[in-house]
């Protein structure tokens, strides 16, 4: 069995927690779906399913390669929601909320790198 790095385990946990939150409390996620996209609740649920699938896939060596690649793609796909959140908070958020929202944007890059590294840990 191929060992799993701490970054891969951490990414799986992150996806698992956030994916679950998409179902437990979807409203905050609906608010950051870019305005141009329809059916926000359905998109939130779909991305929650995708995050849970990525989490599960990252944990097993046989599926880690594909899950790492899909995880990287998912992180790219949800980036516009993070931009939407930053723009919304820039208009009406507190200075602290704005700073956190904009600081999160470049943090997507290490997450994408971790997902790509995870894909190389697979069999």
């Amino acid at each position: 069995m191929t060992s799993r790095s701490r970054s891969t385990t951490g990414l799986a946990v992150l996806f698992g927690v956030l994916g679950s939150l998409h179902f437990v409390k979807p409203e905050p996620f609906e608010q950051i779906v870019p305005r141009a996209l329809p059916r926000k609740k359905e998109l939130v649920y779909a991305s929650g399913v995708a995050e849970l699938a990525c989490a599960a896939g990252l944990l097993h060596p046989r599926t880690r390669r594909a899950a790492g690649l899909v995880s990287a793609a998912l992180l790219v796909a949800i980036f516009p929601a993070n931009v939407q959140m930053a723009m919304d908070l820039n208009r009406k958020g507190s200075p602290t909320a704005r700073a956190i929202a904009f600081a999160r944007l470049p943090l997507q890059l290490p997450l994408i790198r971790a997902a790509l590294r995870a894909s190389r840990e697979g069999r």
Side-chain angles (χ1 to χ4, degrees):
M1 183 176 311
T2 306
S3 66
R4 182 175 60 238
S5 70
R6 287 179 23 197
S7 67
T8 297
T9 301
L11 190 59
V13 169
L14 179 68
F15 275 136
V17 169
L18 290 174
S20 298
L21 283 174
H22 280 65
F23 295 96
V24 173
K25 194 161 171 85
E27 296 81 14
F29 297 100
E30 289 176 52
Q31 292 174 9
I32 66 171
V33 173
R35 289 177 194 28
L37 296 177
R39 305 183 75 165
K40 294 178 184 340
K41 186 173 284 256
E42 290 86 348
L43 288 171
V44 167
Y45 289 150
S47 64
V49 168
E51 288 183 11
L52 291 171
C54 287
L58 288 168
L59 294 174
H60 196 282
R62 285 192 155 180
T63 55
R64 191 169 302 136
R65 176 170 169 68
L69 295 172
V70 171
S71 295
L74 178 61
L75 288 163
V76 170
I78 63 173
F79 186 74
N82 293 327
V83 171
Q84 183 70 58
M85 178 175 56
M87 299 309 290
D88 289 346
L89 288 172
N90 193 45
R91 280 192 295 279
K92 60 183 177 189
S94 70
T96 302
R98 282 194 301 264
I100 291 169
F102 279 99
R104 282 183 49 168
L105 296 176
L107 292 177
Q108 290 289 118
L109 290 173
L111 292 174
I112 292 167
R113 274 198 308 269
L116 293 173
R117 269 195 314 271
S119 74
R120 293 188 296 272
E121 291 175 17
R123 289 159 128 234

